[in-house]
Amino acid sequence: MKIVLFGTPEFAVASLDALVKAGYDIAAVVTMPDKIAGRGHKLIKSDVKVYAEAHGLRLLQPEKLKSEEFVNALREIDADLFIVIAFRMLPEVVWQMPRLGTFNLHGSLLPKYRGAAPINRAIMNGEKETGITTFFLKHEIDTGDMIEQRSTPISDDDNVGTVYDRLMHMGAEMVVHTVDSIEKGTLSLQPQPEGEFIPAPKIFKEDCEIDWTKPSEQIHNQVRGLSPYPTAFTTITDTNGKDLNVKIFQTAIAEHVGDGTACGEVKVQDKKMYVATADNWLEILSLQPAGKKKMLAKDFLLGYHPLKAVKNGQES
């Protein structure tokens, strides 16, 4: 059975590596074109490309997925199965091509969290459980018949980084099992329930800015769901009136309840930093001032004297 895998980030590499080690015939790997990034304007290869080159796998990097050149290249490969993991939305002419179909590995328990950022959104919404799903592609995004699902709890200490890593390795095992089931014809498909989904759109800058007028738990989940990347942020005003942009990586909900202090006010006590929210104080555990390295709050307080946390240059 010949397989073509479509993917870009590290999340897809784990499954690709598992398939290679399991002895499957990876006829080609499709990933995004190299992109220019950084101060040196260097071409950056995707994680999938780096792996494919290191293992001598055929590599395709189409600019346009509907281009005649790319579609013809896929037809010439004549693969039996396509697998999509953290890649762009495929046109129908592509995903309908292989005789055994095209399946996707998705980082949620479908039908929950359809969209580009399912792991982030689950944590930001305070979910206590998430998981992975393999499903066959159809016209509407993330709506096809489900093949397999596996779940994992989200602990209070988890952030998007820890859950991402866990799902990545769980997904690699499940992709191999899904391929094995397809090859043996032992599939048991399950249609997704209608009208029971939660959207998980791409993360934008406005999703990352902290609004201190919201409850502590909501802000805490926002920080967890964006750490370590793309990271929640705020602007802190010090006692000299100077504004400082900071990324917030880790917080903790204070045990004591709010005392009527205005949202966004900063309190420093016992070398700890707290910010007032709508219902409580939220302790800042680690952060990164603009132009500096990530640091613990106690180290930040050695050089800065924060007074307020503000939003869009205005007091929260």
Side-chain angles (χ1 to χ4, degrees), residues 108 110-115 121 125 127 195-201:
S108 82
L110 290 174
K112 277 190 171 183
Y113 297 102
R114 292 174 179 166
R121 297 292 180 181
N125 287 348
E127 297 283 359
E196 296 185 13
F197 75 95
I198 300 174

Side-chain angles (χ1 to χ4, degrees), residues 19 98 114 119 122 137 148 182 207 212 222 249 262 283-284:
L19 289 166
R114 292 174 179 166
I119 305 174
L137 265 59
E148 290 190 56
I182 292 172
D207 296 306
W212 296 102
Q222 177 189 13
F249 288 90
E283 183 181 357
I284 308 300

Side-chain angles (χ1 to χ4, degrees), residues 186-208:
T186 58
L187 294 180
S188 178
L189 301 180
Q190 180 180 351
Q192 293 190 39
E194 294 293 334
E196 296 185 13
F197 75 95
I198 300 174
K202 181 180 178 181
I203 300 294
F204 292 98
K205 185 176 181 180
E206 54 265 31
D207 296 306
C208 301

Side-chain angles (χ1 to χ4, degrees), residues 45-262:
K45 301 177 182 179
S46 74
D47 294 328
V48 164
K49 179 175 181 176
V50 171
Y51 181 93
E53 289 183 333
H55 291 79
L57 301 176
R58 181 177 177 181
L59 188 67
L60 300 175
Q61 293 182 274
E63 291 283 351
K64 296 181 179 180
L65 298 177
K66 291 184 179 180
S67 71
E68 185 176 352
E69 180 183 4
F70 175 60
V71 172
N72 286 338
L74 288 177
R75 287 198 177 109
E76 289 174 5
I77 293 170
D78 193 25
D80 302 289
L81 178 69
F82 289 172
I83 302 173
V84 183
I85 306 172
F87 194 68
R88 291 177 285 172
M89 188 173 178
L90 297 185
E92 184 175 351
V93 67
V94 172
W95 60 259
Q96 279 199 341
M97 194 179 297
R99 68 179 182 85
L100 294 176
T102 300
F103 80 81
N104 177 264
L105 172 68
H106 186 72
S108 82
L109 295 173
L110 290 174
K112 277 190 171 183
Y113 297 102
R114 292 174 179 166
I119 305 174
N120 301 88
R121 297 292 180 181
I123 300 172
M124 291 170 74
N125 287 348
E127 297 283 359
K128 299 300 183 183
E129 181 184 54
T130 188
I132 46 175
T133 306
T134 51
F135 68 97
F136 281 112
L137 265 59
K138 59 182 289 187
H139 292 283
E140 297 80 12
I141 188 169
D142 298 339
T143 61
D145 290 346
M146 297 182 293
I147 306 169
E148 290 190 56
Q149 280 193 330
R150 296 182 188 178
S151 63
T152 183
I154 301 175
S155 74
D156 293 338
D157 296 326
D158 271 325
N159 61 23
V160 72
T162 58
V163 176
Y164 178 98
D165 287 345
R166 199 153 66 244
L167 294 183
M168 178 175 66
H169 295 295
M170 288 172 58
E173 293 180 3
M174 197 168 76
V175 163
V176 173
H177 190 265
T178 296
V179 172
D180 184 61
S181 297
I182 292 172
E183 189 173 40
K184 293 178 179 177
T186 58
L187 294 180
S188 178
L189 301 180
Q190 180 180 351
Q192 293 190 39
E194 294 293 334
E196 296 185 13
F197 75 95
I198 300 174
K202 181 180 178 181
I203 300 294
F204 292 98
K205 185 176 181 180
E206 54 265 31
D207 296 306
C208 301
E209 186 169 15
I210 297 173
D211 181 353
W212 296 102
T213 65
K214 293 182 177 179
S216 291
E217 185 175 5
Q218 187 172 342
I219 298 172
H220 177 62
N221 290 336
Q222 177 189 13
V223 171
R224 294 194 304 135
L226 297 170
S227 180
Y229 182 83
T231 320
F233 71 91
T234 192
T235 302
I236 290 177
T237 302
D238 66 16
T239 51
N240 296 318
K242 183 180 178 181
D243 289 342
L244 179 68
N245 293 324
V246 296
K247 294 179 177 180
I248 308 293
F249 288 90
Q250 188 178 11
T251 57
I253 300 174
E255 293 182 0
H256 51 282
V257 297
D259 54 8
T261 303

